[in-house]
Amino acid sequence: MACSSIAMDGRALPISLYSPPKRQRPPDTSGSRNSGSNLNFKLHFRVRVQFLSGSSVHVLLNGSRGRNQFWKVRSDVKSEPYEISKSAPESFKFKEKLGVDVVSKDDDGDEFVVNAVPWWEEFPKRWTIVILCFSAFLLCNMDRVNMSIAILPMSSEYHWNSTTVGLIQSSFFWGYLLTQIAGGIWADTVGGKRVLAFGVIWWSVATILTPVAAKLGLPFLLIVRAFMGIGEGVAMPAMNNLLSKWVPVAERSRSLALVYSGMYLGSVTGLAFSPFLIHSYGWPSVFFSFGSLGTVWTALWLNKAYSSPLEDPELRPEEKKLIFHNRVIEEPVKTIPWRAILSKPPVWALITCHFCHNWGTFILLTWMPTYYNQVLGFNLTESGLFCVLPWLTMAFSANLGGWIADTLVSKGMSVTTVRKVMQSIGFLGPAFFLSQLSHVNSPAMAVLCMACSQGSDAFSQSGLYSNHQDIAPRYSGVLLGLSNTAGVLAGVFGTAATGYILQHGSWDDVFEVAIGLYLVGTVIWNLFSTGEKIID
């Protein structure tokens, strides 16, 4: 290493790093009463240690008369890599760059920070994972809802009736159903990072191929839509597995609410932009443009994400301590305790309520533009724009519900009580507002009822959607795969049944079925659900 020097009052004092330091006379302080006597002073400093060339350290000197003087130490460091022996004490094995912020004051008493760590390095890594999952779910619903808008010009071009439209809309759920449990097992055994990356690439390719399949014929379109469902089917179990490892309990509801609000905002984006793309470039442009965005996300994900905090070499020690606070480091899952999982009443309550919830949610997701067009008389553009409002309401209320739930838990309310309250709102709110649709006389009131129904529905993110990690954190991916399989069945049967009901009945009949299932779910949830861990 090279020698360093200290600049004091214009004089350079050499310091050798290999020889004992020489005693130097302190700098002369003008105006001192005892200029010829020994000076008593205190030297206070904070040091930021960095393994960098040309680093600098600020030292604060308190003089005898209270005046602050600053010495500035500069050094050029030349070093060669050296591997520390495994026998060295743990305190000498540095895995992370060490450092503290240097805080000092100027002559006016104002504090300043020297060599502060950039904010992007201090941003919690767990929330980077959450935001990337949020963006994946945004793309997920963009690619899913574009069909609900494009189906209108497509059915006109290919002369499809309501039953055929219902069949096409439900074909997505055929593939979606196949990969729920498989995706959960895969995520719990190999890690959520790979599984989610696979899902995004798969469904993006299927989205791009949709116009080609439609031109080839109805069977090809049904197959491609089912293939798209295969990709999106693994996304939710993989995300649940990732967050169960990265997010502490006190932040669980907020993180899940943010991720699921990505789905709602994805619906907003898809429904808002699809009409403009269709009018400007034709309906195939929707599938080409939305599907291509998956490649950008995949590049970021593979570069930034890890399946577990234990795998991330750049995770700061304080954040790792926060994540694993009061929690035993979990061994990788090798076998799934199916008997233990399927023998618990709270698990079946979760599965049943997921079915009841998704029946109403998927009906609104796939049929809302048609309802606006046929019942309220909106054209294609207006249908897409008015469909945005309920999803915006869901994005807002999901994050509000997550904040409320985490606040209640942090204040001492039991997790069980919080989950029951939140899910009761998520069931009873939509049931009430859907029951009012048959009594409203204006399109504005109908849109408002839809928005309020979806807004209260979003409280489910802090209810049943957070419950998988509560009752079985190690197997949260598998458990979500189980319950979401029931939810997908609701999508398959509900979406197809809606087309049949509309051909032989009315929209009031469609809403009455959804209301009945919401009420059944409320009773089952409050009788059998729990927020305590029941499976180790």
Side-chain angles (χ1 to χ4, degrees):
M1 292 187 181
C3 294
S4 302
S5 63
I6 303 178
M8 298 173 49
D9 294 348
R11 293 176 295 156
L13 304 179
I15 298 177
S16 173
L17 299 179
Y18 297 100
S19 60
K22 297 180 181 181
R23 188 179 300 274
Q24 302 290 344
R25 186 174 181 180
D28 188 19
T29 306
S30 60
S32 175
R33 294 180 180 178
N34 302 312
S35 58
S37 61
N38 293 331
L39 295 176
N40 295 322
F41 63 94
K42 295 181 180 180
L43 184 65
H44 301 279
F45 63 92
R46 296 177 184 177
V47 179
R48 175 176 178 78
V49 181
Q50 287 186 305
F51 301 106
L52 299 171
S53 176
S55 60
S56 64
V57 178
H58 285 260
V59 181
L60 173 65
L61 172 64
N62 290 336
S64 60
R65 297 189 63 181
R67 292 186 59 189
N68 294 333
Q69 294 182 354
F70 294 89
W71 296 354
K72 193 170 185 180
V73 180
R74 294 189 180 275
S75 62
D76 290 324
V77 180
K78 297 180 180 178
S79 61
E80 297 180 356
Y82 179 77
E83 182 178 357
I84 300 178
S85 171
K86 295 182 179 180
S87 61
E90 286 294 321
S91 59
F92 289 96
K93 298 177 182 179
F94 297 100
K95 292 184 179 180
E96 292 82 19
K97 181 177 69 177
L98 303 179
V100 294
D101 289 336
V102 180
V103 181
S104 188
K105 294 183 178 180
D106 56 19
D107 291 337
D108 298 327
D110 297 327
E111 290 188 352
F112 63 90
V113 178
V114 181
N115 288 336
V117 178
W119 67 269
W120 56 86
E121 292 184 15
E122 292 186 334
F123 188 77
K125 187 60 179 289
R126 64 189 183 279
W127 283 98
T128 299
I129 300 295
V130 170
I131 291 173
L132 286 172
C133 288
F134 161 88
S135 58
F137 275 66
L138 186 142
L139 293 178
C140 175
N141 263 36
M142 283 178 62
D143 292 340
R144 187 187 301 183
V145 303
N146 56 14
M147 178 59 81
S148 64
I149 295 291
I151 198 70
L152 297 174
M154 290 173 72
S155 60
S156 176
E157 179 177 339
Y158 296 111
H159 308 291
W160 295 329
N161 58 29
S162 296
T163 302
T164 303
V165 170
L167 183 65
I168 294 171
Q169 297 276 44
S170 65
S171 63
F172 165 87
F173 298 104
W174 303 346
Y176 197 66
L177 177 65
L178 292 176
T179 52
Q180 291 299 310
I181 298 176
I185 296 172
W186 191 17
D188 286 344
T189 52
V190 307
K193 174 182 177 177
R194 297 177 185 176
V195 179
L196 188 55
F198 162 82
V200 174
I201 293 173
W202 188 278
W203 87 58
S204 297
V205 172
T207 300
I208 294 172
L209 293 177
T210 299
V212 179
K215 292 183 182 299
L216 292 176
L218 182 60
F220 293 96
L221 178 60
L222 297 178
I223 292 172
V224 168
R225 292 297 293 177
F227 267 60
M228 179 181 172
I230 289 175
E232 294 201 3
V234 303
M236 199 172 290
M239 176 276 300
N240 219 42
N241 173 274
L242 283 161
L243 297 194
S244 69
K245 290 178 169 57
W246 276 96
V247 180
V249 177
E251 299 174 357
R252 181 168 295 162
S253 295
R254 278 174 288 172
S255 63
L256 278 169
L258 179 61
V259 171
Y260 282 111
S261 67
M263 296 179 65
Y264 309 143
L265 292 176
S267 297
V268 169
T269 306
L271 293 170
F273 283 95
S274 293
F276 296 104
L277 289 173
I278 290 172
H279 281 304
S280 301
Y281 306 104
W283 62 263
S285 64
V286 174
F287 300 98
F288 294 145
S289 57
F290 287 5
S292 62
L293 295 175
T295 58
V296 179
W297 181 91
T298 303
L300 288 172
W301 178 254
L302 295 177
N303 185 48
K304 296 292 183 182
Y306 292 89
S307 293
S308 166
L310 298 176
E311 299 177 11
D312 191 343
E314 299 179 353
L315 186 65
R316 294 158 60 214
E318 56 268 28
E319 185 174 6
K320 184 178 292 186
K321 181 179 179 181
L322 173 64
I323 294 172
F324 289 104
H325 181 62
N326 293 331
R327 171 178 156 192
V328 179
I329 297 177
E330 299 163 356
E331 295 294 329
V333 174
K334 297 180 180 178
T335 59
I336 308 298
W338 293 109
R339 183 182 298 274
I341 291 174
L342 297 176
S343 64
K344 305 295 184 182
V347 172
W348 286 104
L350 189 58
I351 292 172
T352 305
C353 291
H354 208 145
F355 179 91
C356 297
H357 172 267
N358 276 27
W359 183 283
T361 299
F362 280 128
I363 286 174
L364 297 179
L365 176 68
T366 55
W367 284 97
M368 193 185 302
T370 304
Y371 171 79
Y372 285 161
N373 178 259
Q374 293 180 355
V375 178
L376 304 183
F378 297 149
N379 59 35
L380 178 65
T381 302
E382 290 172 336
S383 296
L385 292 177
F386 281 109
C387 283
V388 165
L389 182 58
W391 297 109
L392 281 176
T393 307
M394 291 184 80
F396 171 77
S397 57
N399 288 283
L400 175 63
W403 178 81
I404 292 173
D406 283 343
T407 301
L408 293 175
V409 170
S410 65
K411 289 184 178 297
M413 183 177 289
S414 71
V415 177
T416 299
T417 302
V418 171
R419 299 291 180 246
K420 289 185 176 182
V421 169
M422 292 296 165
Q423 190 55 46
S424 295
I425 297 173
F427 277 147
L428 296 177
F432 171 77
F433 289 108
L434 288 181
S435 68
Q436 302 305 304
L437 283 173
S438 59
H439 305 294
V440 299
N441 298 319
S442 68
M445 289 302 298
V447 171
L448 180 62
C449 284
M450 282 286 193
C452 292
S453 172
Q454 295 293 84
S456 53
D457 174 279
F459 277 76
S460 299
Q461 312 311 330
S462 303
L464 72 88
Y465 281 97
S466 297
N467 197 232
H468 308 81
Q469 299 179 34
D470 296 329
I471 64 179
R474 289 194 70 197
Y475 309 102
S476 58
V478 171
L479 191 56
L480 182 61
L482 280 171
S483 71
N484 210 33
T485 297
V488 174
L489 286 173
V492 173
F493 295 131
T495 304
T498 299
Y500 178 83
I501 293 171
L502 290 176
Q503 195 165 356
H504 299 86
S506 66
W507 278 98
D508 288 344
D509 300 326
V510 172
F511 295 139
E512 285 174 2
V513 175
I515 291 169
L517 289 173
Y518 279 138
L519 295 177
V520 170
T522 304
V523 174
I524 294 175
W525 183 257
N526 282 281
L527 287 177
F528 299 107
S529 68
T530 181
E532 304 301 323
K533 185 168 72 171
I534 60 174
I535 303 172
D536 291 323

